[in-house]
Amino acid sequence: MAAKILPVVKFATKVTIAGGALYVAYDSGLLGGSEQGSVALGRAKAAIPPAVEEWMKYFGFELPATPKIEFSPLDAWNSGVKKSIHTLSVAPSTVSDYTKQGLQYVKNHLK
Amino acid sequence: MSEKELGQKWDRCLADCAIKVGTGLGLGIVFSVVFFKRRTSPIAFGTGLGLGMAYSNCQNDLRSHYVLHSNVAKEP
């Protein structure tokens, strides 16, 4: 009799695990709209440092401090755009200057 | 839509995309291990599902400024 019930129990356990994971995801707003998602992300970000500290105390060693990276992708992108457009806007006059200089150099050498 | 509002919408979009893809991946892994004998197809399916949900949310969010919103009075 136990051999007959065991597959049913196994299947019921699997359904419970999968259904529980799905319910947790739904309940914490991970599957909802954009605002719910960013709220959940904010909560997760706020919850990570205390959790990491607790684990560190439990295991008794210190993780190395995360290095502060002074790089802002936004600033880098904006300055890149500005530089490219500035280069494009002065390109005609720069090219004509260089051409004149080049022709002058060739003239001087042909004299 | 002002630029500030647009920037906030894009920020929300990206955060939402990260969350949905991560959730889809996680649920795909759970389902793959529990039901599908560790095949990779449920994982890919879950990730794709998350991407699709994020895309649809982003689309609605960015369009909501231009879509007419009406309040329909309920019949008594």
Side-chain angles (χ1 to χ4, degrees):
Chain A
M1 197 182 116
K4 280 188 189 164
I5 289 185
L6 191 64
V8 177
V9 169
K10 267 176 70 177
F11 185 70
T13 320
K14 286 183 182 179
V15 166
T16 316
I17 294 175
L22 202 56
Y23 178 73
V24 162
Y26 168 72
D27 194 46
S28 49
L30 293 173
L31 300 173
S34 312
E35 270 112 21
Q36 281 183 331
S38 24
V39 159
L41 190 67
R43 267 190 284 147
K45 268 192 195 169
I48 283 183
V52 167
E53 276 192 35
E54 269 206 47
W55 278 102
M56 277 177 9
K57 271 191 230 162
Y58 185 68
F59 282 115
F61 64 84
E62 290 278 317
L63 278 172
T66 44
K68 275 246 162 220
I69 305 175
E70 291 284 332
F71 179 72
S72 162
L74 186 70
D75 288 338
W77 177 263
N78 285 347
S79 89
V81 169
K82 282 184 202 160
K83 280 193 190 147
S84 325
I85 301 296
H86 177 74
T87 316
L88 281 174
S89 74
V90 301
S93 38
T94 321
V95 164
S96 81
D97 278 343
Y98 281 138
T99 323
K100 275 188 206 159
Q101 282 182 17
L103 287 173
Q104 196 62 41
Y105 178 80
V106 169
K107 269 189 213 168
N108 288 344
H109 273 260
L110 284 175
K111 275 185 197 164
Chain B
M1 229 194 305
S2 67
E3 257 203 47
K4 186 175 165 195
E5 203 183 317
L6 183 65
Q8 284 172 343
K9 284 195 192 218
W10 273 112
D11 284 343
R12 271 207 304 267
C13 262
L14 285 175
D16 192 46
C17 184
I19 287 180
K20 294 267 183 327
V21 168
T23 308
L25 189 71
L27 284 175
I29 290 176
V30 166
F31 272 80
S32 157
V33 163
V34 166
F35 285 122
F36 291 100
K37 296 178 189 143
R38 305 210 180 138
R39 279 182 228 159
T40 43
S41 40
I43 302 176
F45 184 71
T47 314
L49 217 56
L51 257 177
M53 284 197 283
Y55 185 86
S56 161
N57 273 349
C58 260
Q59 198 176 40
N60 276 332
D61 200 10
L62 288 167
R63 275 186 191 170
S64 66
H65 187 80
Y66 301 102
V67 168
L68 287 174
H69 299 283
S70 69
N71 292 316
V72 179
K74 284 195 182 157
E75 301 270 327

